[in-house]
Amino acid sequence: MRLSSQPPSFGLITCSLVLILPLFGSCHPAQLSGNPSLVFNEQLSHSSVRFNWRNVTCYVCKAVFTIVDVALLSDANEERVARAVGEACIRLHLADEQVCRDIIELFRDDFIRALQESFLWPTEACAILVGPSCGKFDVYAPWNITLPNVPKPPVKPPSPPKPGSPQSRVLFLTDVHWDREYDVGSAADCKEPLCCRNNSGSPILSRRKAGHWGTYGKCDLPLWTVENLLENAAKAGPWDWVYWTGDIPAHNVWSQTREQQLSELTVISRLIHKHLGPNVMVYPAVGNHESTPVNSFPPPYIHGNRSSSWLYDQMAEEWAPWLPDQALKTLRYGGFYTVQIQPGLRLVSLNMNFCARENFWLMVNSTDPGDQLQWLVHILQASEDKGEKVHIIGHIPPGLCLSSWSWNYYHIVNRYESTITGQFFGHTHLDEFQMFYDEETMTRPLGVVFIAPSVTTYVSLNPGYRVYYVDGNYQGSSRLVLDHETYILNLTEANHSPWAPHSPQKDPKWTLLYRATEAYGLSTLFPSDFNRLIGTFINDDPVFQKFWYLRYKGHVSKPCKEVCKTGILCYLRSGRYDDLKQCDYLNGFKGSLARAATKTLC
């Protein structure tokens, strides 16, 4: 096909949205009601984008992607495709013109290279964008990991530890999102995806301005708030160990450089080490915002300048005080590792970017990137053989992953349910959980994914952190989570001193928002307890509304009723993406719930 030398057509501009549409979603926690096919989509993703690929005919979509595929065969056309993407962003008002141009310049090389190396045919691209009636999407086709030919041990239901048994106290930090350009007094409402910055402008009289300790809105945190958290967490110790599940940089994804990402990784890692002390072991996981472009995590077979070695090598250097040499070796290879925390307890830190639909490198090959899940099986089988218990940490919850990755992970958790005694994730910025059930009947609860609230305020949240109480270090310990607490910095109080309402408090207090067993009337936090709690949510609406309030760290304006509640209950039960889709359709959401969940880009 001969390509015209004329400017890119609107069709080419439209198809380029596959690159930029996910970048303008957010974690905005609005409370809505209305059409069940729309409400949860808005509830989780809250994208400002209103373009819908399902308005494009199958014929037009395939024609558009055929043009793009041919265009990308020539390096000379990369500039034209990049210009088309920028025009699409500007014409459809997805963001400010400068933001559009910056983000296209940042993403163009990696995205186009991944597209050139992928097997993404027009029928496959249009199957995912327009729908299954327009083709078959085989890029993310089903695949299976291999389990050892070893019988699953008999399952023994957990029982509470004896009174007085030791407990481990674990600090959990996630989604710090430090904004080095946070500017007190700047506009808290702006047209860019991130506000409260030195380029957000001055607020007009009718608009809000950035507070000293943080701001409710599309804003991340200043460094002094992060340091204040660490100072208070150090005072609240001692800690047996710390889990830290990533997302260090701010949400200015259109203007980040590798140098900035590495600088922020270094600053926050060293602050944690400084304030918590050299004797507290910290176990990190890789977030989706650590890389630039955001979500760009090539599998380990990608070498050279486009690989992630620039990031993993710096992580290994900064985290060396906490991790042994063998853990650093696999961290440098693929961003994942395992380490023994105590005799009888092992940790696995997963790189959940290898399961994320937004990681465009998975268009090249999404089958168990880095052989991470097969490696996980090997670790779990060895732990089962030795009688170890295993905790798993990661950034993106597995229920929000690509379908095949999520299905395989669920299958692994089922097989090793007696070995895996804790799963800890972040990413959504909210305080929530998701259930795992036995695969045969899907009725017996066997696991809980704990999803902890963010340190950052983004969007319209109080800053927060989590404390887990785990069955402790003694012979026969279950190593299960027995309880957890959430602490917050109440911004309304912190930004307004009682003695000087227009001035912030000099040393604000991080206060206990709630303790799970007390808030919900539970004796333990075993999977069976959470399964019963979901039943209570269904039958006792005041208890569910309490959960809704706590889910947003004590800053929510409207209750969650009817359709909203049904969608949330679907989400809590769905530790596997396929279950989310099934619950989605059974409750009349027509696919929007599952799509919204996977588009949550926090």
Side-chain angles (χ1 to χ4, degrees):
M1 179 183 296
R2 183 177 68 86
L3 294 175
S4 170
S5 60
Q6 297 301 313
S9 68
F10 185 74
L12 183 55
I13 292 170
T14 303
C15 80
S16 63
L17 289 172
V18 71
L19 189 163
I20 56 177
L21 276 178
L23 301 176
F24 300 102
S26 77
C27 314
H28 195 288
Q31 301 81 45
L32 302 171
S33 60
N35 188 333
S37 66
L38 298 176
V39 65
F40 209 85
N41 187 10
E42 297 178 4
Q43 180 63 45
L44 276 179
S45 58
H46 281 269
S47 171
S48 60
V49 177
R50 292 294 176 262
F51 176 82
N52 189 345
W53 268 99
R54 276 146 176 85
N55 295 332
V56 177
T57 67
C58 183
Y59 174 81
V60 169
C61 182
K62 288 181 179 179
V64 160
F65 268 90
T66 299
I67 294 171
V68 170
D69 283 352
V70 173
L72 292 180
L73 292 176
S74 168
D75 290 342
N77 288 311
E78 292 182 13
E79 183 66 33
R80 297 181 64 223
V81 173
R83 285 202 306 269
V85 174
E87 283 298 313
C89 181
I90 295 167
R91 291 189 191 186
L92 293 171
H93 306 291
L94 302 186
D96 175 73
E97 180 174 342
Q98 190 57 50
V99 172
C100 286
R101 299 199 185 285
D102 288 347
I103 203 164
I104 299 313
E105 185 63 29
L106 178 63
F107 273 75
R108 53 174 285 182
D109 291 343
D110 278 8
F111 180 82
I112 289 175
R113 190 62 59 202
L115 195 60
Q116 287 173 331
E117 294 187 18
S118 76
F119 300 101
L120 189 65
W121 295 96
T123 54
E124 293 169 330
C126 295
I128 192 170
L129 294 173
V130 178
S133 63
C134 196
K136 185 178 181 182
F137 192 59
D138 291 325
V139 175
Y140 304 136
W143 47 270
N144 297 304
I145 48 86
T146 301
L147 294 176
N149 190 22
V150 179
K152 179 178 177 178
V155 176
K156 299 178 182 179
S159 56
K162 295 179 181 179
S165 296
Q167 292 185 6
S168 297
R169 195 160 174 261
V170 182
L171 174 64
F172 190 95
L173 303 172
T174 190
D175 296 277
V176 172
H177 293 293
W178 159 41
D179 187 357
R180 63 169 66 235
E181 296 182 20
Y182 188 95
D183 188 17
V184 176
S186 62
D189 302 298
C190 68
K191 58 185 178 179
E192 287 82 14
L194 183 64
C195 305
C196 300
R197 319 188 80 217
N198 54 23
N199 61 355
S200 297
S202 300
I204 60 176
L205 292 177
S206 61
R207 294 192 175 182
R208 301 176 304 118
K209 61 182 180 179
H212 179 81
W213 294 106
T215 308
Y216 299 126
K218 296 188 301 178
C219 304
D220 281 319
L221 287 180
L223 187 61
W224 53 84
T225 302
V226 178
E227 192 155 14
N228 183 265
L229 180 156
L230 294 172
E231 290 170 352
N232 278 268
K235 295 175 186 176
W239 307 105
D240 290 283
W241 65 87
V242 179
Y243 291 150
W244 173 30
T245 60
D247 269 17
I248 299 167
H251 287 83
N252 59 318
V253 297
W254 65 93
S255 61
Q256 293 169 339
T257 67
R258 288 185 176 185
E259 290 74 19
Q260 290 170 348
Q261 303 294 90
L262 296 180
S263 171
E264 290 162 11
L265 165 67
T266 298
V267 168
I268 299 300
S269 296
R270 294 182 184 182
L271 276 178
I272 291 174
H273 191 270
K274 169 188 171 182
H275 288 288
L276 299 184
N279 298 322
V280 177
M281 291 297 101
V282 178
Y283 302 107
V286 182
N288 64 300
H289 275 265
E290 264 67 273
S291 183
T292 184
V294 66
N295 304 308
S296 177
F297 288 84
Y301 58 77
I302 301 294
H303 302 288
N305 189 50
R306 297 195 191 281
S307 75
S308 291
S309 60
W310 65 274
L311 178 62
Y312 298 154
D313 287 348
Q314 185 74 12
M315 287 176 169
E317 182 176 333
E318 293 300 328
W319 299 346
W322 302 319
L323 302 178
D325 289 343
Q326 184 57 38
L328 295 174
K329 183 178 179 180
T330 56
L331 175 63
R332 290 180 187 273
Y333 169 74
F336 52 87
Y337 65 88
T338 183
V339 62
Q340 185 185 67
I341 296 178
Q342 295 173 339
L345 178 61
R346 176 164 295 278
L347 171 72
V348 171
S349 178
L350 294 177
N351 186 348
M352 300 302 287
N353 296 290
F354 288 159
C355 81
R357 188 179 300 272
E358 295 78 23
N359 182 3
F360 50 77
W361 284 100
L362 299 189
M363 293 189 301
V364 180
N365 186 352
S366 65
T367 301
D368 194 14
D371 296 321
Q372 180 178 219
L373 286 185
Q374 199 64 61
W375 168 84
L376 173 62
V377 169
H378 172 76
I379 298 299
L380 292 172
Q381 185 58 56
S383 292
E384 180 181 278
D385 294 341
K386 292 183 288 188
E388 285 182 327
K389 301 301 183 184
V390 174
H391 284 180
I392 296 175
I393 65 172
H395 184 65
I396 301 171
L400 303 183
C401 289
L402 286 168
S403 178
S404 285
W405 201 102
S406 181
W407 187 94
N408 276 284
Y409 180 84
Y410 203 96
H411 191 52
I412 292 169
V413 172
N414 263 258
R415 167 59 184 83
Y416 294 100
E417 63 170 294
S418 299
T419 298
I420 301 170
T421 58
Q423 302 176 70
F424 307 92
F425 295 84
H427 182 62
T428 69
H429 296 193
L430 304 178
D431 188 337
E432 49 197 2
F433 63 91
Q434 285 189 302
M435 294 297 301
F436 279 58
Y437 295 93
D438 71 294
E439 291 180 306
E440 292 185 3
T441 68
M442 294 302 292
T443 58
R444 180 177 65 85
L446 57 81
V448 180
V449 167
F450 293 95
I451 305 173
S454 61
V455 172
T456 186
T457 53
Y458 192 91
V459 174
S460 294
L461 301 168
N462 285 307
Y465 68 88
R466 167 65 55 83
V467 178
Y468 289 105
Y469 293 87
V470 178
D471 199 6
N473 187 19
Y474 63 92
Q475 186 67 31
S477 171
S478 71
R479 305 288 187 167
L480 288 163
V481 174
L482 304 176
D483 209 347
H484 68 65
E485 297 172 334
T486 293
Y487 289 81
I488 64 166
L489 180 65
N490 187 315
L491 288 180
T492 302
E493 298 175 358
N495 285 330
H496 303 282
S497 171
W499 302 276
H502 297 292
S503 301
Q505 296 181 11
K506 291 184 178 181
D507 185 21
K509 303 302 180 185
W510 294 72
T511 56
L512 174 66
L513 179 63
Y514 79 103
R515 188 176 177 110
T517 54
E518 294 176 359
Y520 299 121
L522 305 172
S523 57
T524 56
L525 299 187
F526 296 163
S528 57
D529 297 307
F530 276 98
N531 188 54
R532 286 192 294 271
L533 182 60
I534 291 177
T536 302
F537 288 165
I538 295 171
N539 298 312
D540 191 341
D541 192 62
V543 177
F544 175 79
Q545 298 305 327
K546 178 190 287 186
F547 164 78
W548 182 250
Y549 171 79
L550 299 175
R551 184 175 185 249
Y552 290 96
K553 292 183 284 183
H555 188 253
V556 62
S557 59
K558 295 181 180 179
C560 176
K561 298 285 189 178
E562 299 172 350
V563 171
C564 170
K565 181 176 179 178
T566 300
I568 295 297
L569 293 173
C570 264
Y571 177 79
L572 298 179
R573 286 170 163 161
S574 304
R576 181 172 60 183
Y577 177 70
D578 287 345
D579 300 332
L580 187 61
K581 287 198 298 183
Q582 183 179 15
C583 189
D584 186 346
Y585 281 97
L586 286 174
N587 287 280
F589 290 96
K590 300 179 183 179
S592 61
L593 166 60
R595 288 194 300 273
T598 57
K599 289 177 183 176
T600 303
L601 289 175
C602 299

